[in-house]
Amino acid sequence: MPPLRPQPRCLADFFSYETTKSVVVKSWVVGVVNRVVQLLILSYFIGGPCSWCTPSGRVTPRGDAGWVFLHEKAYQVRDTVIESSVVTKVKGIGKYGNRILDTADYGTSVFVVVTKQILTENQEQGVCPESEAAYRCASDHDCQGKGHTTGSGVLTGRCVPYNTTLRTCEIRGWCPPEVDTVDVPVMLEAENFTLFIKNSVRFPLFGFEKANLPPHISAGELQRCRFHPEQQPLCPILRLGDVARFAGQDFASLAATGGVLGIKIGWVCDLDRAWELCLPRYSFTRLDSVTRHSPGSPGYNFRHARYYRGHNGTELRTLTKAFGIRFDVLVYGNAGKFGIVPTLINTVAAFTSIGVGTVLCDIILLNFLKGAEHYKARKFEEVPEASVPPAPASPTGCTPGALGDQSREKQSTDSGTFSLGL
Ligand SMILES: Nc1ncnc2c1ncn2[C@@H]1O[C@H](COP(=O)(O)OP(=O)(O)OP(=O)(O)O)[C@@H](O)[C@H]1O
């Protein structure tokens, strides 16, 4: 009678079931690694003694090493949508040329403080020679083909005397045209001007509202206080020179070219704590720092005009090219309050992550420790079905079971290489 053909091993492997078996390894090395990894994971998620904080001990407000729960406050629902209003007012008296300027003179917008002005007075509609060097000419022919308009008006096509030595193309527009290459003084007094910032914020998710004005401050106290990051961090009145300094800028050169400074007000609030502890935090930066190095446009300026009538009723205007410091107030915020859903999700994540330690210990145990083969043999065990005798080894070289160790484990056991006691 022909011998029974053995069942292919790969089929038996496919219809096998792997279940977890607990093996207690009495090894100091893996035991210590396991506990250290578990401790690290737990302190990352929940918190522990601050043995590896920065020297200032400010890793977290409470001085704990716990990152996810204590620092990131993973137990809180967060609202980053912030509704905010900002109102500003500049005050100060400065001298510019022979004139004393007050609040109404040096700002055409609440966000800009004008520090330098090029005035072109008594302009009226008419024809006159262009002032820009690009429109120098010797004859009418030079003024044709130069386009239709210049920075100041529409070209008539004629070449006319600009002064006794120079001729330029004639324009029709506001005459005389502006000459913006002149040197004019800078109003350095603006350094002592003050900027009052009134900011209200609202976190709609929690219906929480707050303003940057200290709650019981009187008008007199407001007028007197000046912001300082350590001594007066809540005073909403800022000296312009200080704002430039905090933004790392030299006020004199900023005032000469103009520029844009950003005043950032951050509202990062833990709404599980008292209402009074939700406070604004001010920081400063120069927003046009990239373009300020551009030779073509190094600063910030704009033009505006004041119109009036001359003696004979003609309409006149004074054109002003104003260089100034623009203040952009940027408000950002982030508030959190305890929520059961994020607490549960992060607690489950924390405990699941402890399993990472087991993976690491298995790698060390089964690959790097002395007697790794012995541990493998005890970890992976193949159990035949209770009533069926064990299948013979596969002649086809099918893929073994989990981690490919069953067959090796079996060979080791069969040959009796290892003693089974740990
Ligand atoms: N840039 C600033 N520098 C210093 N104090 C300021 C500044 N802006 C406003 N204040 C003062 O803060 C307080 C509140 O200002 P707010 O504009 O609300 O009131 P106000 O009576 O209209 O101010 P004022 O008429 O003095 O401009 C006032 O006492 C005001 O004088």
Side-chain angles (χ1 to χ4, degrees):
M1 213 171 116
L4 273 175
R5 273 185 69 215
Q7 255 186 332
R9 174 68 186 253
C10 53
L11 202 65
D13 280 350
F14 183 73
F15 289 108
S16 64
Y17 167 67
E18 279 176 29
T19 183
T20 321
K21 170 185 165 189
S22 280
V23 179
V24 179
V25 180
K26 301 276 182 191
S27 157
W28 274 97
V29 179
V30 220
V32 168
V33 170
N34 185 34
R35 292 293 175 223
V36 167
V37 172
Q38 283 178 348
L39 198 72
L40 285 177
I41 291 172
L42 272 183
S43 45
Y44 172 73
F45 273 94
I46 293 160
C50 188
S51 52
W52 40 278
C53 295
T54 55
S56 64
R58 287 179 65 96
V59 163
T60 72
R62 293 175 214 179
D64 290 312
W67 180 259
V68 175
F69 269 85
L70 298 184
H71 187 271
E72 293 296 296
K73 298 197 170 54
Y75 57 85
Q76 290 185 329
V77 181
R78 303 212 77 78
D79 186 6
T80 50
V81 181
I82 185 168
E83 295 168 358
S84 163
S85 91
V86 176
V87 177
T88 60
K89 191 183 258 186
V90 181
K91 284 195 174 192
I93 303 290
K95 191 164 182 281
Y96 192 73
N98 296 323
R99 299 164 76 201
I100 301 293
L101 306 183
D102 70 4
T103 319
D105 294 314
Y106 49 68
T108 53
S109 145
V110 281
F111 290 110
V112 180
V113 174
V114 174
T115 49
K116 191 172 103 176
Q117 302 186 35
I118 296 173
L119 299 177
T120 313
E121 289 172 321
N122 298 328
Q123 280 189 320
E124 65 176 301
Q125 286 285 319
V127 288
C128 52
E130 174 56 277
S131 58
E132 286 180 35
Y135 291 93
R136 280 184 194 173
C137 58
S139 67
D140 289 355
H141 178 74
D142 297 337
C143 296
Q144 270 119 53
K146 281 201 183 249
H148 182 56
T149 57
T150 71
S152 311
V154 178
L155 285 166
T156 62
R158 294 199 309 140
C159 182
V160 292
Y162 180 74
N163 55 29
T164 48
T165 54
L166 201 71
R167 289 167 73 85
T168 60
C169 296
E170 188 184 59
I171 54 155
R172 178 175 293 282
W174 287 99
C175 292
E178 177 192 79
V179 180
D180 69 354
T181 47
V182 289
D183 256 349
V184 289
V186 178
M187 187 171 63
L188 289 174
E189 280 103 326
E191 199 171 359
N192 293 319
F193 291 1
T194 49
L195 176 71
F196 172 43
I197 302 176
K198 213 156 94 172
N199 171 222
S200 318
V201 289
R202 182 167 182 274
F203 290 103
L205 187 64
F206 307 118
F208 179 92
E209 290 179 316
K210 204 150 183 213
N212 69 330
L213 303 188
H216 305 296
I217 196 163
S218 68
E221 285 170 320
L222 252 187
Q223 269 174 8
R224 281 190 302 277
C225 81
R226 293 291 173 268
F227 174 85
H228 186 278
E230 274 106 42
Q231 282 132 35
Q232 295 269 13
L234 298 179
C235 172
I237 295 181
L238 302 98
R239 199 178 146 269
L240 300 194
D242 291 342
V243 175
R245 192 159 47 86
F246 297 143
Q249 301 301 312
D250 171 49
F251 191 86
S253 46
L254 183 64
T257 58
V260 186
L261 293 182
I263 301 172
K264 293 190 269 181
I265 308 180
W267 294 87
V268 180
C269 294
D270 181 353
L271 302 187
D272 292 327
R273 301 167 83 197
W275 184 88
E276 305 83 58
L277 296 177
C278 177
L279 297 170
R281 185 180 287 246
Y282 296 82
S283 55
F284 308 89
T285 182
R286 181 159 182 183
L287 294 177
D288 63 338
S289 53
V290 179
T291 54
R292 82 186 154 121
H293 299 299
S294 150
S297 177
Y300 170 68
N301 66 69
F302 58 93
R303 285 185 177 81
H304 62 99
R306 247 174 282 164
Y307 297 84
Y308 49 93
R309 295 258 167 215
H311 293 303
N312 53 2
T314 29
E315 188 187 22
L316 301 174
R317 75 172 193 184
T318 296
L319 175 68
T320 306
K321 179 173 181 179
F323 294 77
I325 305 173
R326 201 179 84 189
F327 295 94
D328 284 358
V329 182
L330 314 165
V331 182
Y332 64 93
N334 180 346
K337 200 170 188 174
F338 174 79
I340 191 70
V341 174
T343 306
L344 283 179
I345 290 173
N346 285 293
T347 308
V348 170
F351 284 109
T352 312
S353 304
I354 292 176
V356 173
T358 315
V359 175
L360 185 72
C361 291
D362 274 3
I363 292 171
I364 295 171
L365 184 76
L366 303 177
N367 296 288
F368 302 110
L369 233 56
K370 207 172 141 206
E373 288 301 320
H374 162 70
Y375 293 125
K376 273 182 198 167
R378 304 304 305 262
K379 180 167 165 59
F380 303 106
E381 191 181 348
E382 198 172 282
V383 182
E385 210 169 2
S387 55
V388 179
S394 165
T396 54
C398 285
T399 318
L403 297 181
D405 288 305
Q406 285 100 325
S407 57
R408 264 180 284 147
E409 180 265 333
K410 179 152 179 34
Q411 282 159 14
S412 321
T413 318
D414 286 347
S415 64
T417 311
F418 298 118
S419 88
L420 296 181
L422 281 172

